[in-house]
Amino acid sequence: MSCFQVAVLASGSKGNATVMRCEAGMALVDAGISCRRIAQGMQKLGLHPEQLTAVFITHEHIDHVKGLETFIKKYPVPIFASAGTWRGIKQTLPRIDLQLCNRHILAPQTEITLGGLRVRSFSTSHDALEPAGYMFRYRGHAFGYVTDTGYVSDLMKRELEGAEVLVLESNHDPILLKNGTYPPPLQKRILGTKGHLANETAGHLLADLKTLPQQVFLAHLSQENNTPDLALSTVRGIVQRHRPKEKIQFYVTSQEEVVKNKEWEDYHEQNIFE
Ligand SMILES: [Zn+2]
Ligand SMILES: [Zn+2]
């Protein structure tokens, strides 16, 4: 049983945002859907953006920062990103007024503590200025978040070791991509070391971890070059082949629907019946 409640509000190339809650606080990872959708998504979970302890941004691509311009006008929540990502945000959102923003730099391979929550940033490999993944730790438990990376480095594997709950990119099937409608330069970008993670690579990352996560959210699925069933069967198949005696609870995230883990559902039920 994990102590992390995780709800992926949206995931994919049209927008990403995830809420994580534990006793030590509540964080939003990425703000790539409109501020209104973030607030509405949180409201459906019985939450309000002002309750957030902090926001963490992985990188400056629009599908990760779209809601930020409005968000910072409305909510005085601290926002963490690498220095390069802050520079990139200014390029992606030229009208953003960063003076309004409760802005903090968290460099990759460093960590901060907020209340009892430790948050560590680590480098990913993507065509952005200084992209990062995050690992959240509370009382010996850990929640990891990694999307938008072209490959899995040893550093990333080390950083993600011990995550009980993991949001992990499972972007595409290389064969669907090669046979699909994407123009060759875009295919090359996605398949490159600074692109996006294939289903197989996500599966091998899990199989290589010393301790398997209990729960994995498959994230940032391509709507053209993947399907939820294919992502799930590929990743699960690889894990089963390498770790036949172990079990992961998988959740497949969606561009439109909120996807919550069991801890979130259980918490909600408890509160209804109280
Ligand atoms: Zn993205
Ligand atoms: Zn990206």
Side-chain angles (χ1 to χ4, degrees), residues 16 58-64 126-128 131 147-149 169 189 194-196 220:
N16 297 271
T58 58
H59 65 295
E60 69 273 21
H61 289 162
I62 191 70
D63 56 319
H64 299 262
H126 194 53
D127 55 353
T147 66
D148 297 69
T149 190
E169 173 163 48
R189 180 199 154 229
K194 295 193 166 196
H196 288 279
H220 217 300

PDB file of all heavy atoms in Angstrom, residues 16 58-64 126-128 131 147-149 169 189 194-196 220, ligand 2:
ATOM      1  N   ASN A  16      -0.447  17.861 -20.367  1.00  0.00           N
ATOM      2  CA  ASN A  16      -0.082  16.995 -19.248  1.00  0.00           C
ATOM      3  C   ASN A  16      -0.229  17.720 -17.920  1.00  0.00           C
ATOM      4  O   ASN A  16       0.223  18.864 -17.783  1.00  0.00           O
ATOM      5  CB  ASN A  16       1.383  16.555 -19.389  1.00  0.00           C
ATOM      6  CG  ASN A  16       1.591  15.723 -20.631  1.00  0.00           C
ATOM      7  OD1 ASN A  16       1.452  14.514 -20.609  1.00  0.00           O
ATOM      8  ND2 ASN A  16       1.885  16.385 -21.748  1.00  0.00           N
ATOM      9  N   THR A  58       8.389  19.875 -15.797  1.00  0.00           N
ATOM     10  CA  THR A  58       9.443  19.002 -16.353  1.00  0.00           C
ATOM     11  C   THR A  58      10.253  19.701 -17.440  1.00  0.00           C
ATOM     12  O   THR A  58      11.469  19.531 -17.509  1.00  0.00           O
ATOM     13  CB  THR A  58       8.840  17.711 -16.939  1.00  0.00           C
ATOM     14  OG1 THR A  58       7.883  18.067 -17.954  1.00  0.00           O
ATOM     15  CG2 THR A  58       8.167  16.874 -15.868  1.00  0.00           C
ATOM     16  N   HIS A  59       9.551  20.465 -18.324  1.00  0.00           N
ATOM     17  CA  HIS A  59      10.252  21.183 -19.401  1.00  0.00           C
ATOM     18  C   HIS A  59       9.271  22.137 -20.064  1.00  0.00           C
ATOM     19  O   HIS A  59       8.067  22.127 -19.765  1.00  0.00           O
ATOM     20  CB  HIS A  59      10.884  20.210 -20.404  1.00  0.00           C
ATOM     21  CG  HIS A  59       9.908  19.389 -21.181  1.00  0.00           C
ATOM     22  ND1 HIS A  59       9.080  18.461 -20.589  1.00  0.00           N
ATOM     23  CD2 HIS A  59       9.601  19.352 -22.508  1.00  0.00           C
ATOM     24  CE1 HIS A  59       8.331  17.882 -21.515  1.00  0.00           C
ATOM     25  NE2 HIS A  59       8.619  18.415 -22.694  1.00  0.00           N
ATOM     26  N   GLU A  60       9.779  22.954 -20.979  1.00  0.00           N
ATOM     27  CA  GLU A  60       9.015  24.105 -21.452  1.00  0.00           C
ATOM     28  C   GLU A  60       8.089  23.833 -22.631  1.00  0.00           C
ATOM     29  O   GLU A  60       7.459  24.760 -23.133  1.00  0.00           O
ATOM     30  CB  GLU A  60       9.980  25.247 -21.826  1.00  0.00           C
ATOM     31  CG  GLU A  60      10.853  24.985 -23.072  1.00  0.00           C
ATOM     32  CD  GLU A  60      12.146  24.246 -22.753  1.00  0.00           C
ATOM     33  OE1 GLU A  60      12.210  23.595 -21.696  1.00  0.00           O
ATOM     34  OE2 GLU A  60      13.080  24.318 -23.577  1.00  0.00           O
ATOM     35  N   HIS A  61       7.999  22.608 -23.130  1.00  0.00           N
ATOM     36  CA  HIS A  61       7.098  22.379 -24.269  1.00  0.00           C
ATOM     37  C   HIS A  61       5.656  22.703 -23.871  1.00  0.00           C
ATOM     38  O   HIS A  61       5.251  22.495 -22.730  1.00  0.00           O
ATOM     39  CB  HIS A  61       7.219  20.933 -24.768  1.00  0.00           C
ATOM     40  CG  HIS A  61       8.523  20.673 -25.455  1.00  0.00           C
ATOM     41  ND1 HIS A  61       9.022  19.414 -25.676  1.00  0.00           N
ATOM     42  CD2 HIS A  61       9.440  21.540 -25.971  1.00  0.00           C
ATOM     43  CE1 HIS A  61      10.188  19.508 -26.307  1.00  0.00           C
ATOM     44  NE2 HIS A  61      10.465  20.792 -26.490  1.00  0.00           N
ATOM     45  N   ILE A  62       4.910  23.201 -24.874  1.00  0.00           N
ATOM     46  CA  ILE A  62       3.583  23.754 -24.587  1.00  0.00           C
ATOM     47  C   ILE A  62       2.660  22.747 -23.910  1.00  0.00           C
ATOM     48  O   ILE A  62       1.842  23.114 -23.057  1.00  0.00           O
ATOM     49  CB  ILE A  62       2.952  24.346 -25.886  1.00  0.00           C
ATOM     50  CG1 ILE A  62       1.708  25.175 -25.592  1.00  0.00           C
ATOM     51  CG2 ILE A  62       2.669  23.267 -26.921  1.00  0.00           C
ATOM     52  CD1 ILE A  62       1.949  26.481 -24.896  1.00  0.00           C
ATOM     53  N   ASP A  63       2.807  21.461 -24.249  1.00  0.00           N
ATOM     54  CA  ASP A  63       1.930  20.456 -23.618  1.00  0.00           C
ATOM     55  C   ASP A  63       2.270  20.224 -22.144  1.00  0.00           C
ATOM     56  O   ASP A  63       1.649  19.394 -21.484  1.00  0.00           O
ATOM     57  CB  ASP A  63       1.949  19.127 -24.418  1.00  0.00           C
ATOM     58  CG  ASP A  63       3.336  18.537 -24.597  1.00  0.00           C
ATOM     59  OD1 ASP A  63       4.288  19.299 -24.857  1.00  0.00           O
ATOM     60  OD2 ASP A  63       3.476  17.301 -24.479  1.00  0.00           O
ATOM     61  N   HIS A  64       3.248  20.970 -21.612  1.00  0.00           N
ATOM     62  CA  HIS A  64       3.607  20.864 -20.193  1.00  0.00           C
ATOM     63  C   HIS A  64       3.459  22.195 -19.449  1.00  0.00           C
ATOM     64  O   HIS A  64       3.567  22.225 -18.225  1.00  0.00           O
ATOM     65  CB  HIS A  64       5.031  20.308 -20.059  1.00  0.00           C
ATOM     66  CG  HIS A  64       5.133  18.937 -20.647  1.00  0.00           C
ATOM     67  ND1 HIS A  64       5.071  17.787 -19.889  1.00  0.00           N
ATOM     68  CD2 HIS A  64       5.197  18.535 -21.944  1.00  0.00           C
ATOM     69  CE1 HIS A  64       5.115  16.733 -20.698  1.00  0.00           C
ATOM     70  NE2 HIS A  64       5.195  17.164 -21.946  1.00  0.00           N
ATOM     71  N   HIS A 126      15.760  14.994 -23.735  1.00  0.00           N
ATOM     72  CA  HIS A 126      14.642  15.466 -24.551  1.00  0.00           C
ATOM     73  C   HIS A 126      15.074  16.754 -25.248  1.00  0.00           C
ATOM     74  O   HIS A 126      15.982  17.429 -24.772  1.00  0.00           O
ATOM     75  CB  HIS A 126      13.452  15.726 -23.605  1.00  0.00           C
ATOM     76  CG  HIS A 126      12.139  15.896 -24.292  1.00  0.00           C
ATOM     77  ND1 HIS A 126      11.642  14.992 -25.193  1.00  0.00           N
ATOM     78  CD2 HIS A 126      11.183  16.859 -24.173  1.00  0.00           C
ATOM     79  CE1 HIS A 126      10.459  15.410 -25.612  1.00  0.00           C
ATOM     80  NE2 HIS A 126      10.164  16.540 -25.021  1.00  0.00           N
ATOM     81  N   ASP A 127      14.410  17.084 -26.353  1.00  0.00           N
ATOM     82  CA  ASP A 127      14.829  18.286 -27.089  1.00  0.00           C
ATOM     83  C   ASP A 127      14.248  19.558 -26.457  1.00  0.00           C
ATOM     84  O   ASP A 127      13.501  20.302 -27.078  1.00  0.00           O
ATOM     85  CB  ASP A 127      14.470  18.167 -28.576  1.00  0.00           C
ATOM     86  CG  ASP A 127      13.003  17.869 -28.804  1.00  0.00           C
ATOM     87  OD1 ASP A 127      12.286  17.631 -27.811  1.00  0.00           O
ATOM     88  OD2 ASP A 127      12.572  17.877 -29.969  1.00  0.00           O
ATOM     89  N   ALA A 128      14.605  19.764 -25.217  1.00  0.00           N
ATOM     90  CA  ALA A 128      14.222  20.962 -24.463  1.00  0.00           C
ATOM     91  C   ALA A 128      15.500  21.476 -23.800  1.00  0.00           C
ATOM     92  O   ALA A 128      16.533  20.801 -23.832  1.00  0.00           O
ATOM     93  CB  ALA A 128      13.171  20.606 -23.430  1.00  0.00           C
ATOM     94  N   PRO A 131      15.565  19.600 -19.463  1.00  0.00           N
ATOM     95  CA  PRO A 131      14.401  18.825 -19.010  1.00  0.00           C
ATOM     96  C   PRO A 131      14.711  17.966 -17.783  1.00  0.00           C
ATOM     97  O   PRO A 131      15.871  17.596 -17.559  1.00  0.00           O
ATOM     98  CB  PRO A 131      14.088  17.939 -20.222  1.00  0.00           C
ATOM     99  CG  PRO A 131      15.395  17.779 -20.925  1.00  0.00           C
ATOM    100  CD  PRO A 131      16.144  19.064 -20.723  1.00  0.00           C
ATOM    101  N   THR A 147       8.488  11.520 -18.021  1.00  0.00           N
ATOM    102  CA  THR A 147       7.931  11.458 -19.383  1.00  0.00           C
ATOM    103  C   THR A 147       8.855  12.295 -20.272  1.00  0.00           C
ATOM    104  O   THR A 147       9.759  12.969 -19.784  1.00  0.00           O
ATOM    105  CB  THR A 147       6.510  12.064 -19.472  1.00  0.00           C
ATOM    106  OG1 THR A 147       6.574  13.466 -19.222  1.00  0.00           O
ATOM    107  CG2 THR A 147       5.550  11.404 -18.502  1.00  0.00           C
ATOM    108  N   ASP A 148       8.606  12.262 -21.571  1.00  0.00           N
ATOM    109  CA  ASP A 148       9.369  13.088 -22.504  1.00  0.00           C
ATOM    110  C   ASP A 148      10.871  12.850 -22.366  1.00  0.00           C
ATOM    111  O   ASP A 148      11.645  13.760 -22.052  1.00  0.00           O
ATOM    112  CB  ASP A 148       9.043  14.581 -22.310  1.00  0.00           C
ATOM    113  CG  ASP A 148       7.587  14.881 -22.623  1.00  0.00           C
ATOM    114  OD1 ASP A 148       6.722  14.435 -21.839  1.00  0.00           O
ATOM    115  OD2 ASP A 148       7.303  15.521 -23.654  1.00  0.00           O
ATOM    116  N   THR A 149      11.251  11.619 -22.635  1.00  0.00           N
ATOM    117  CA  THR A 149      12.677  11.304 -22.670  1.00  0.00           C
ATOM    118  C   THR A 149      12.920  10.311 -23.811  1.00  0.00           C
ATOM    119  O   THR A 149      12.127   9.399 -24.025  1.00  0.00           O
ATOM    120  CB  THR A 149      13.178  10.753 -21.310  1.00  0.00           C
ATOM    121  OG1 THR A 149      14.601  10.687 -21.333  1.00  0.00           O
ATOM    122  CG2 THR A 149      12.605   9.385 -20.992  1.00  0.00           C
ATOM    123  N   GLU A 169       6.511   7.406 -19.116  1.00  0.00           N
ATOM    124  CA  GLU A 169       6.140   7.563 -20.528  1.00  0.00           C
ATOM    125  C   GLU A 169       6.149   6.216 -21.256  1.00  0.00           C
ATOM    126  O   GLU A 169       7.074   5.412 -21.106  1.00  0.00           O
ATOM    127  CB  GLU A 169       7.135   8.513 -21.213  1.00  0.00           C
ATOM    128  CG  GLU A 169       6.911   8.582 -22.723  1.00  0.00           C
ATOM    129  CD  GLU A 169       7.570   9.787 -23.371  1.00  0.00           C
ATOM    130  OE1 GLU A 169       8.758  10.048 -23.094  1.00  0.00           O
ATOM    131  OE2 GLU A 169       6.884  10.478 -24.137  1.00  0.00           O
ATOM    132  N   ARG A 189      12.654  12.656 -34.999  1.00  0.00           N
ATOM    133  CA  ARG A 189      12.715  13.349 -33.717  1.00  0.00           C
ATOM    134  C   ARG A 189      12.175  12.459 -32.600  1.00  0.00           C
ATOM    135  O   ARG A 189      12.793  12.317 -31.541  1.00  0.00           O
ATOM    136  CB  ARG A 189      11.859  14.631 -33.801  1.00  0.00           C
ATOM    137  CG  ARG A 189      11.881  15.402 -32.526  1.00  0.00           C
ATOM    138  CD  ARG A 189      10.776  16.407 -32.309  1.00  0.00           C
ATOM    139  NE  ARG A 189      10.642  16.547 -30.870  1.00  0.00           N
ATOM    140  CZ  ARG A 189       9.504  16.488 -30.201  1.00  0.00           C
ATOM    141  NH1 ARG A 189       8.366  16.342 -30.821  1.00  0.00           N
ATOM    142  NH2 ARG A 189       9.506  16.595 -28.887  1.00  0.00           N
ATOM    143  N   LYS A 194      16.675  12.259 -28.029  1.00  0.00           N
ATOM    144  CA  LYS A 194      16.046  13.388 -27.330  1.00  0.00           C
ATOM    145  C   LYS A 194      14.560  13.467 -27.679  1.00  0.00           C
ATOM    146  O   LYS A 194      13.976  14.556 -27.715  1.00  0.00           O
ATOM    147  CB  LYS A 194      16.762  14.687 -27.673  1.00  0.00           C
ATOM    148  CG  LYS A 194      18.186  14.670 -27.157  1.00  0.00           C
ATOM    149  CD  LYS A 194      18.805  16.026 -27.195  1.00  0.00           C
ATOM    150  CE  LYS A 194      20.072  16.005 -26.349  1.00  0.00           C
ATOM    151  NZ  LYS A 194      20.540  17.322 -26.013  1.00  0.00           N
ATOM    152  N   GLY A 195      13.970  12.320 -27.968  1.00  0.00           N
ATOM    153  CA  GLY A 195      12.568  12.299 -28.360  1.00  0.00           C
ATOM    154  C   GLY A 195      11.685  11.739 -27.267  1.00  0.00           C
ATOM    155  O   GLY A 195      11.656  12.268 -26.152  1.00  0.00           O
ATOM    156  N   HIS A 196      10.989  10.667 -27.612  1.00  0.00           N
ATOM    157  CA  HIS A 196      10.005  10.080 -26.687  1.00  0.00           C
ATOM    158  C   HIS A 196      10.254   8.585 -26.509  1.00  0.00           C
ATOM    159  O   HIS A 196      10.806   7.920 -27.380  1.00  0.00           O
ATOM    160  CB  HIS A 196       8.595  10.328 -27.224  1.00  0.00           C
ATOM    161  CG  HIS A 196       8.171  11.758 -27.114  1.00  0.00           C
ATOM    162  ND1 HIS A 196       7.688  12.288 -25.935  1.00  0.00           N
ATOM    163  CD2 HIS A 196       8.170  12.763 -28.019  1.00  0.00           C
ATOM    164  CE1 HIS A 196       7.402  13.569 -26.132  1.00  0.00           C
ATOM    165  NE2 HIS A 196       7.688  13.891 -27.383  1.00  0.00           N
ATOM    166  N   HIS A 220       1.714   9.743 -21.504  1.00  0.00           N
ATOM    167  CA  HIS A 220       2.119  10.425 -22.737  1.00  0.00           C
ATOM    168  C   HIS A 220       2.001   9.501 -23.944  1.00  0.00           C
ATOM    169  O   HIS A 220       2.879   9.492 -24.831  1.00  0.00           O
ATOM    170  CB  HIS A 220       3.549  10.965 -22.598  1.00  0.00           C
ATOM    171  CG  HIS A 220       3.789  12.296 -23.271  1.00  0.00           C
ATOM    172  ND1 HIS A 220       3.620  12.473 -24.626  1.00  0.00           N
ATOM    173  CD2 HIS A 220       4.173  13.504 -22.795  1.00  0.00           C
ATOM    174  CE1 HIS A 220       3.907  13.722 -24.942  1.00  0.00           C
ATOM    175  NE2 HIS A 220       4.231  14.390 -23.836  1.00  0.00           N
TER     176      HIS A 220
HETATM  177 ZN    ZN B   2       8.318  17.543 -24.661  1.00  0.00          ZN
END
